[in-house]
Amino acid sequence: KTFSFTYTNDPRVGFATVLVLVVFLITTVVGGYSIVKRLVAFLYFQNARTAFEAGGDAAHVERSLARAIEFFPADVLYRSLIDIRLIQIKALLQRQDVGAEALRAEFQDLLGSATAAGNAAIAVNPTDYVNWLALARVYASLVPLKVEGAYESAKPLLQNARKLNPKSPRLALDEARLEIAHGSSDEGKKLVGEALQMKSNYTDAIFVLAQLEIDAGNVK
């Protein structure tokens, strides 16, 4: 059956109907615009991911990620940018053709960008432990380099991540590695034990424990 009605006979019904239609139209346009922005961001992100996996130009990957973030600033995009920055920092520290001042300046720029991306990811979703872990990784990577304040910055970030995901053996092991890099082998060994309590066959934790025993002279 066909159901038909008219809203022109009653001005009140006509006004209410037109108002609902206008709101519906605006909602549809705004919603469609948001969906299009997310789609474009995803395409840029996919382009960056493909280039990265193919070992492409890091600058190209960075530009694609930056464009994706412009369209839709999602936490996963900021975390991907952190990965790029850590790779660039590692490559920079291995270069021998850069003067000390230029090296320091570029290092500070990359580090600042990485920490800004980590803070942005946390701001987007502070309830996701992965975002806290991503920023902790930035500072943790500096601990072996004896960068002042790196350990003190990484520790509370890892602890926040563990609060959000307390049953993760990986996070316990990450904190253990941080302590070991900081020179606290005993605390690191304790945290490795926590990881193994959560997952007794956690091979990464077993390997770290073996390294600690070898360093202590307990080779057998």
Side-chain angles (χ1 to χ4, degrees):
K1 293 182 179 181
T2 302
F3 176 77
S4 62
F5 70 97
T6 177
Y7 55 85
T8 58
N9 295 332
D10 189 335
R12 290 175 299 179
V13 175
F15 175 78
T17 303
V18 171
L19 181 62
V20 170
L21 290 174
V22 169
V23 171
F24 178 74
L25 178 62
I26 293 174
T27 303
T28 302
V29 171
V30 172
Y33 178 68
S34 177
I35 291 172
V36 169
K37 287 180 65 177
R38 291 189 181 206
L39 176 61
V40 174
F42 172 76
L43 292 175
Y44 274 112
F45 175 61
Q46 190 64 27
N47 179 271
R49 182 177 177 180
T50 301
F52 178 76
E53 291 176 348
D57 182 14
H60 171 73
V61 176
E62 181 182 346
R63 285 194 301 269
S64 294
L65 278 177
R67 291 291 292 165
I69 291 172
E70 286 179 16
F71 280 96
F72 185 64
D75 53 353
V76 65
L77 300 179
Y78 287 116
R79 294 199 304 267
S80 298
L81 184 58
I82 288 175
D83 292 336
I84 297 298
R85 291 290 181 254
L86 291 178
I87 290 173
Q88 291 174 324
I89 289 174
K90 182 178 180 180
L92 176 66
L93 295 177
Q94 293 175 346
R95 292 181 61 181
Q96 303 293 330
D97 58 336
V98 182
E101 289 299 323
L103 180 69
R104 184 180 297 107
E106 190 171 350
F107 175 81
Q108 290 176 344
D109 287 343
L110 292 173
L111 178 60
S113 177
T115 54
N119 286 316
I122 292 173
V124 170
N125 187 2
T127 64
D128 191 343
Y129 80 94
V130 180
N131 293 331
W132 294 92
L133 178 60
L135 183 56
R137 285 176 53 229
V138 175
Y139 292 111
S141 68
L142 305 178
V143 173
L145 303 176
K146 309 299 182 184
V147 175
E148 184 178 356
Y151 169 81
E152 290 76 12
S153 298
K155 184 71 173 180
L157 293 168
L158 269 175
Q159 290 175 336
N160 281 339
R162 293 195 67 186
K163 287 178 183 178
L164 293 170
N165 190 5
K167 295 183 179 181
S168 170
R170 175 197 171 185
L171 294 180
L173 183 59
D174 283 342
E175 190 173 359
R177 284 172 169 153
L178 176 66
E179 293 295 341
I180 294 168
H182 185 57
S184 305
S185 297
D186 291 339
E187 181 64 21
K189 189 174 183 179
K190 176 184 174 182
L191 289 164
V192 172
E194 289 184 21
L196 289 172
Q197 284 180 351
M198 299 177 196
K199 183 177 173 63
S200 60
N201 62 344
Y202 191 14
T203 53
D204 287 349
I206 295 171
F207 180 71
V208 172
L209 183 59
Q211 288 180 310
L212 288 173
E213 295 292 355
I214 290 172
D215 292 340
N218 302 323
V219 177
K220 183 177 179 179

